[in-house]
Amino acid sequence: MSEFAGKSVVVTGAAGALGKAVALAFHEKGADVTGIDIVQVESDFRLLHVDLMNLDNVRVAVTEIGPIDVVANIAGGFTMGDSVANTTDETWDFMMNLNSRTVLNVVRSVVPVMQSQGGGKIINVGARNGLRGVGNMAAYSASKSVVIRLTESLSDELKQDNINVNCILPSIIDTSRNREDMPEADFSTWVTPKAMAEVVLFLASSAADPIHGASIPVEGLA
């Protein structure tokens, strides 16, 4: 029997390509999966309609879910933006809210639950570009860098409470949207959502108990 059987797993961004792959991977292992997304789609698991940028809404959803053993913060997005000098407030705020405030709101709501239970696992999604800024991607790179720093800070605060906090750093994920945006690319070098989901499952497993505050590159050949 899978160690995830009967475990309560929350996956944000569960309507998206990666979020859905992660949620289905846990579901197939017997977990009690609750997806969270602002988009409503048909799914094989429970899916709550929640605006992750609204802390009160997130707290209500977490209360409704009850015990939570694993949180996979998959919600996020990407936009090229402009040069730093030409970056608008709207672009900056959009990337910061979508990629980092969503994580902050979820962990502020979930951590007290995990502490009261005596442990848990939190897996966040940073990005390779969160390690080094790239031209015309400042807002995105900065927002993903925030996720990495949040992961490290949370881990340092929570590891004594038997809560593991780690993140993965994808390069380019093989999604239909990315294929449309980059039709000349070699898709075989990209990481599939299913492969990334396996890394998330590892970080949520007992095998990853000694790992705290790690940023795991998941780049494929890209």
Side-chain angles (χ1 to χ4, degrees):
M1 178 181 293
S2 166
E3 70 172 284
F4 297 116
K7 292 288 185 70
S8 174
V9 176
V10 173
V11 179
T12 71
L18 178 57
K20 183 177 181 180
V22 170
L24 286 174
F26 278 112
H27 176 72
E28 290 168 359
K29 294 292 185 180
D32 180 11
V33 177
T34 301
I36 293 179
D37 209 301
I38 199 167
V39 178
Q40 288 285 73
V41 296
E42 293 293 326
S43 67
D44 295 327
F45 45 85
R46 182 188 188 194
L47 185 62
L48 300 182
H49 180 260
V50 180
D51 179 3
L52 292 172
M53 297 183 196
N54 185 306
L55 178 59
D56 290 337
N57 287 357
V58 178
R59 284 177 169 162
V60 168
V62 167
T63 299
E64 179 180 339
I65 294 167
I68 298 172
D69 299 299
V70 178
V71 170
N73 282 308
I74 310 298
F78 168 79
T79 183
M80 278 295 292
D82 299 303
S83 66
V84 174
N86 291 316
T87 296
T88 64
D89 288 346
E90 290 76 17
T91 296
W92 184 265
D93 291 344
F94 177 65
M95 282 288 92
M96 285 294 174
N97 285 331
L98 184 62
N99 289 325
S100 52
R101 185 173 294 277
T102 54
V103 174
L104 178 63
N105 284 345
V106 171
V107 297
R108 285 192 285 182
S109 304
V110 166
V111 164
V113 175
M114 289 186 170
Q115 288 175 317
S116 69
Q117 295 172 175
K121 307 275 190 178
I122 299 173
I123 302 98
N124 301 322
V125 177
R128 180 171 64 183
N129 286 335
L131 298 173
R132 184 181 185 278
V134 178
N136 299 321
M137 294 173 59
Y140 173 75
S141 296
S143 68
K144 287 300 189 178
S145 178
V146 169
V147 173
I148 298 170
R149 301 290 88 84
L150 278 173
T151 297
E152 294 165 348
S153 295
L154 274 168
S155 174
D156 197 50
E157 295 165 357
L158 299 176
K159 57 188 177 183
Q160 299 301 327
D161 293 329
N162 195 35
I163 300 173
N164 295 73
V165 188
N166 296 290
C167 72
I168 59 175
L169 306 180
S171 51
I172 304 174
I173 305 173
D174 189 3
T175 65
S176 57
R177 174 62 184 274
N178 283 339
R179 288 191 177 210
E180 291 172 7
D181 290 344
M182 294 173 274
E184 303 302 320
D186 180 359
F187 307 144
S188 68
T189 65
W190 296 354
V191 182
T192 66
K194 184 177 181 179
M196 291 191 62
E198 291 299 320
V199 180
V200 174
L201 260 66
F202 164 71
L203 290 173
S205 73
S206 58
D209 283 351
I211 304 175
H212 297 274
S215 297
I216 310 295
V218 189
E219 301 182 356
L221 302 176

